[in-house]
Amino acid sequence: MIELAGISRVFGTRTVVSDVSLRVAAGAILTVVGTSGSGKTTLLRMINRLVEPSAGTVRVGGRDIRTVPPHVLRRGIGYAIQGYGLFPHRTVAENIAVVPRLLGWDRRRIADRVDALLGLFNLDPAAYRDRLPAALSGGEQQRIGVARALAAEPPILLMDEPFGALDPIIRGQARADLRAIQRRTGTTIVLVTHDMDEALHLGDRIAVMDRGHLVQEADPAALIGMPATDFVRALLGGGDRAFQLMALRDVDDLIEPGPAPGAPIPAGTSVRAALAESLWSQRPALPVSRDGVLLGRVTRAALEAQGARP
């Protein structure tokens, strides 16, 4: 668990973060969202002591981080940033191995970990381990950046706008990759973003920052259903809240026995995406599959009914 208690940061006469208290449960994803200058990145950096709080306390696993030397603390907390931060003259394997080497891992253990992470990100170790970052696409560099942050198996991963440099298609896949990997590893993640849609899709809880203040902290459905301020409402945008809620739910609980025509949609598809497919393809029901096995169908009526739920 990560606990922030009354955290503030002042630079000169400017208060960048003001009296913020938050808890992040072990194994959860907290997304921190806000406009530029809202204090979200400073808040993130106080967790690993890249920025020292002016007031308040940060605890990780119940321990005040001020009692831990900064370099020791950071070796136990993964950190991924926008632009990936890869060393350009080091190979993919050497980039991923940075922290394990600092921790004194032996060569065999490091090599095994590098290959395991490349496989986890669907990158063939034989094809990628000896490449330099310049030979990688933006999406591949992003994956390597996250793999490096996870290399020493940290229980906590901090991410500062990690997908900001990616195009929309690759960005969507990167989000899905992160969610899938987090479910496998149980890593606690704090992710900063300016993109409310990204915050809603990734976060188990969402913290909204405005001019240094925490103005709301809630799960995605509660945030959409009851925005606490006009600022939160503006970040959510002018779209229909029912459709925003439908994007947070998947079809798995709506599957019923029976046939349906056409190509199946995969289990885990959002209700919103499934409804769009039903309307575009003019099919009143869609087959649903997982790993090539048909599970049943989901009807348009069942999908539409989700829009009426609170």
Side-chain angles (χ1 to χ4, degrees), residues 169-187:
I169 294 175
I170 297 175
R171 188 169 182 156
Q173 184 58 55
R175 293 176 188 169
D177 286 346
L178 178 65
R179 241 318 182 183
I181 290 167
Q182 191 270 343
R183 285 171 179 162
R184 292 189 210 175
T185 62
T187 306

mmCIF file of all heavy atoms in Angstrom, residues 169-187:
data_model
loop_
_atom_site.group_PDB
_atom_site.id
_atom_site.type_symbol
_atom_site.label_atom_id
_atom_site.label_comp_id
_atom_site.label_asym_id
_atom_site.label_seq_id
_atom_site.Cartn_x
_atom_site.Cartn_y
_atom_site.Cartn_z
ATOM 1 N N ILE A 169 -3.679 4.567 -32.184
ATOM 2 C CA ILE A 169 -3.873 3.123 -32.321
ATOM 3 C C ILE A 169 -2.905 2.365 -31.426
ATOM 4 O O ILE A 169 -3.286 1.468 -30.666
ATOM 5 C CB ILE A 169 -3.713 2.696 -33.794
ATOM 6 C CG1 ILE A 169 -4.847 3.295 -34.638
ATOM 7 C CG2 ILE A 169 -3.709 1.176 -33.914
ATOM 8 C CD1 ILE A 169 -4.712 3.038 -36.121
ATOM 9 N N ILE A 170 -1.624 2.744 -31.485
ATOM 10 C CA ILE A 170 -0.623 2.079 -30.645
ATOM 11 C C ILE A 170 -0.896 2.369 -29.175
ATOM 12 O O ILE A 170 -0.722 1.520 -28.307
ATOM 13 C CB ILE A 170 0.794 2.544 -31.036
ATOM 14 C CG1 ILE A 170 1.105 2.130 -32.473
ATOM 15 C CG2 ILE A 170 1.838 1.969 -30.092
ATOM 16 C CD1 ILE A 170 2.431 2.645 -32.991
ATOM 17 N N ARG A 171 -1.370 3.571 -28.886
ATOM 18 C CA ARG A 171 -1.663 3.945 -27.502
ATOM 19 C C ARG A 171 -2.740 3.048 -26.905
ATOM 20 O O ARG A 171 -2.636 2.607 -25.759
ATOM 21 C CB ARG A 171 -2.105 5.404 -27.470
ATOM 22 C CG ARG A 171 -2.265 5.979 -26.077
ATOM 23 C CD ARG A 171 -2.434 7.475 -26.156
ATOM 24 N NE ARG A 171 -2.533 8.072 -24.846
ATOM 25 C CZ ARG A 171 -2.233 9.326 -24.570
ATOM 26 N NH1 ARG A 171 -1.787 10.109 -25.527
ATOM 27 N NH2 ARG A 171 -2.354 9.808 -23.352
ATOM 28 N N GLY A 172 -3.768 2.757 -27.688
ATOM 29 C CA GLY A 172 -4.819 1.873 -27.209
ATOM 30 C C GLY A 172 -4.288 0.483 -26.908
ATOM 31 O O GLY A 172 -4.654 -0.130 -25.894
ATOM 32 N N GLN A 173 -3.405 -0.034 -27.771
ATOM 33 C CA GLN A 173 -2.824 -1.352 -27.535
ATOM 34 C C GLN A 173 -1.910 -1.331 -26.322
ATOM 35 O O GLN A 173 -1.874 -2.286 -25.540
ATOM 36 C CB GLN A 173 -2.038 -1.797 -28.770
ATOM 37 C CG GLN A 173 -1.465 -3.204 -28.653
ATOM 38 C CD GLN A 173 -2.529 -4.246 -28.400
ATOM 39 O OE1 GLN A 173 -3.495 -4.350 -29.154
ATOM 40 N NE2 GLN A 173 -2.368 -5.019 -27.325
ATOM 41 N N ALA A 174 -1.164 -0.225 -26.143
ATOM 42 C CA ALA A 174 -0.267 -0.116 -24.996
ATOM 43 C C ALA A 174 -1.055 -0.134 -23.686
ATOM 44 O O ALA A 174 -0.629 -0.751 -22.704
ATOM 45 C CB ALA A 174 0.557 1.168 -25.096
ATOM 46 N N ARG A 175 -2.193 0.517 -23.663
ATOM 47 C CA ARG A 175 -3.043 0.482 -22.466
ATOM 48 C C ARG A 175 -3.492 -0.937 -22.164
ATOM 49 O O ARG A 175 -3.461 -1.385 -21.009
ATOM 50 C CB ARG A 175 -4.276 1.366 -22.671
ATOM 51 C CG ARG A 175 -4.031 2.848 -22.767
ATOM 52 C CD ARG A 175 -5.355 3.533 -23.062
ATOM 53 N NE ARG A 175 -5.208 4.939 -23.351
ATOM 54 C CZ ARG A 175 -6.186 5.705 -23.842
ATOM 55 N NH1 ARG A 175 -7.367 5.176 -24.090
ATOM 56 N NH2 ARG A 175 -5.982 6.984 -24.076
ATOM 57 N N ALA A 176 -3.932 -1.632 -23.212
ATOM 58 C CA ALA A 176 -4.399 -3.008 -23.031
ATOM 59 C C ALA A 176 -3.259 -3.897 -22.548
ATOM 60 O O ALA A 176 -3.459 -4.752 -21.664
ATOM 61 C CB ALA A 176 -4.976 -3.539 -24.343
ATOM 62 N N ASP A 177 -2.055 -3.707 -23.098
ATOM 63 C CA ASP A 177 -0.892 -4.480 -22.663
ATOM 64 C C ASP A 177 -0.617 -4.243 -21.179
ATOM 65 O O ASP A 177 -0.368 -5.184 -20.420
ATOM 66 C CB ASP A 177 0.351 -4.081 -23.461
ATOM 67 C CG ASP A 177 0.341 -4.612 -24.891
ATOM 68 O OD1 ASP A 177 -0.486 -5.491 -25.185
ATOM 69 O OD2 ASP A 177 1.155 -4.135 -25.695
ATOM 70 N N LEU A 178 -0.638 -2.968 -20.776
ATOM 71 C CA LEU A 178 -0.338 -2.642 -19.381
ATOM 72 C C LEU A 178 -1.346 -3.282 -18.445
ATOM 73 O O LEU A 178 -0.980 -3.862 -17.412
ATOM 74 C CB LEU A 178 -0.329 -1.126 -19.188
ATOM 75 C CG LEU A 178 -0.071 -0.666 -17.753
ATOM 76 C CD1 LEU A 178 1.336 -1.059 -17.303
ATOM 77 C CD2 LEU A 178 -0.270 0.844 -17.614
ATOM 78 N N ARG A 179 -2.623 -3.195 -18.794
ATOM 79 C CA ARG A 179 -3.670 -3.771 -17.952
ATOM 80 C C ARG A 179 -3.487 -5.286 -17.818
ATOM 81 O O ARG A 179 -3.571 -5.861 -16.728
ATOM 82 C CB ARG A 179 -5.045 -3.475 -18.550
ATOM 83 C CG ARG A 179 -6.020 -2.656 -17.732
ATOM 84 C CD ARG A 179 -6.031 -3.018 -16.323
ATOM 85 N NE ARG A 179 -7.014 -2.253 -15.560
ATOM 86 C CZ ARG A 179 -7.158 -2.367 -14.263
ATOM 87 N NH1 ARG A 179 -6.391 -3.182 -13.565
ATOM 88 N NH2 ARG A 179 -8.030 -1.661 -13.613
ATOM 89 N N ALA A 180 -3.199 -5.941 -18.941
ATOM 90 C CA ALA A 180 -3.034 -7.399 -18.924
ATOM 91 C C ALA A 180 -1.829 -7.797 -18.079
ATOM 92 O O ALA A 180 -1.906 -8.758 -17.285
ATOM 93 C CB ALA A 180 -2.878 -7.921 -20.352
ATOM 94 N N ILE A 181 -0.732 -7.065 -18.225
ATOM 95 C CA ILE A 181 0.480 -7.395 -17.472
ATOM 96 C C ILE A 181 0.279 -7.109 -15.989
ATOM 97 O O ILE A 181 0.718 -7.872 -15.122
ATOM 98 C CB ILE A 181 1.679 -6.622 -18.047
ATOM 99 C CG1 ILE A 181 2.033 -7.199 -19.426
ATOM 100 C CG2 ILE A 181 2.874 -6.663 -17.113
ATOM 101 C CD1 ILE A 181 2.967 -6.336 -20.224
ATOM 102 N N GLN A 182 -0.403 -6.012 -15.668
ATOM 103 C CA GLN A 182 -0.651 -5.698 -14.260
ATOM 104 C C GLN A 182 -1.505 -6.773 -13.603
ATOM 105 O O GLN A 182 -1.286 -7.129 -12.430
ATOM 106 C CB GLN A 182 -1.326 -4.326 -14.156
ATOM 107 C CG GLN A 182 -1.406 -3.773 -12.744
ATOM 108 C CD GLN A 182 -2.684 -4.185 -12.020
ATOM 109 O OE1 GLN A 182 -3.655 -4.614 -12.648
ATOM 110 N NE2 GLN A 182 -2.674 -4.054 -10.709
ATOM 111 N N ARG A 183 -2.457 -7.321 -14.319
ATOM 112 C CA ARG A 183 -3.277 -8.387 -13.759
ATOM 113 C C ARG A 183 -2.457 -9.641 -13.479
ATOM 114 O O ARG A 183 -2.713 -10.362 -12.521
ATOM 115 C CB ARG A 183 -4.438 -8.703 -14.714
ATOM 116 C CG ARG A 183 -5.535 -7.644 -14.684
ATOM 117 C CD ARG A 183 -6.551 -7.855 -15.784
ATOM 118 N NE ARG A 183 -7.614 -6.856 -15.731
ATOM 119 C CZ ARG A 183 -8.431 -6.577 -16.733
ATOM 120 N NH1 ARG A 183 -8.304 -7.208 -17.891
ATOM 121 N NH2 ARG A 183 -9.379 -5.668 -16.601
ATOM 122 N N ARG A 184 -1.461 -9.892 -14.335
ATOM 123 C CA ARG A 184 -0.611 -11.067 -14.131
ATOM 124 C C ARG A 184 0.353 -10.877 -12.959
ATOM 125 O O ARG A 184 0.605 -11.800 -12.198
ATOM 126 C CB ARG A 184 0.208 -11.358 -15.392
ATOM 127 C CG ARG A 184 -0.590 -11.820 -16.585
ATOM 128 C CD ARG A 184 0.377 -12.271 -17.683
ATOM 129 N NE ARG A 184 -0.194 -12.053 -18.998
ATOM 130 C CZ ARG A 184 0.459 -12.264 -20.134
ATOM 131 N NH1 ARG A 184 1.709 -12.681 -20.105
ATOM 132 N NH2 ARG A 184 -0.117 -12.054 -21.301
ATOM 133 N N THR A 185 0.908 -9.683 -12.839
ATOM 134 C CA THR A 185 1.972 -9.461 -11.860
ATOM 135 C C THR A 185 1.471 -8.941 -10.518
ATOM 136 O O THR A 185 2.170 -9.082 -9.507
ATOM 137 C CB THR A 185 2.997 -8.457 -12.403
ATOM 138 O OG1 THR A 185 2.355 -7.187 -12.638
ATOM 139 C CG2 THR A 185 3.606 -8.947 -13.716
ATOM 140 N N GLY A 186 0.288 -8.310 -10.493
ATOM 141 C CA GLY A 186 -0.211 -7.734 -9.247
ATOM 142 C C GLY A 186 0.530 -6.484 -8.822
ATOM 143 O O GLY A 186 0.451 -6.074 -7.656
ATOM 144 N N THR A 187 1.249 -5.849 -9.753
ATOM 145 C CA THR A 187 2.006 -4.638 -9.437
ATOM 146 C C THR A 187 1.063 -3.491 -9.092
ATOM 147 O O THR A 187 0.040 -3.290 -9.739
ATOM 148 C CB THR A 187 2.871 -4.231 -10.641
ATOM 149 O OG1 THR A 187 3.681 -5.343 -11.033
ATOM 150 C CG2 THR A 187 3.770 -3.050 -10.302
#
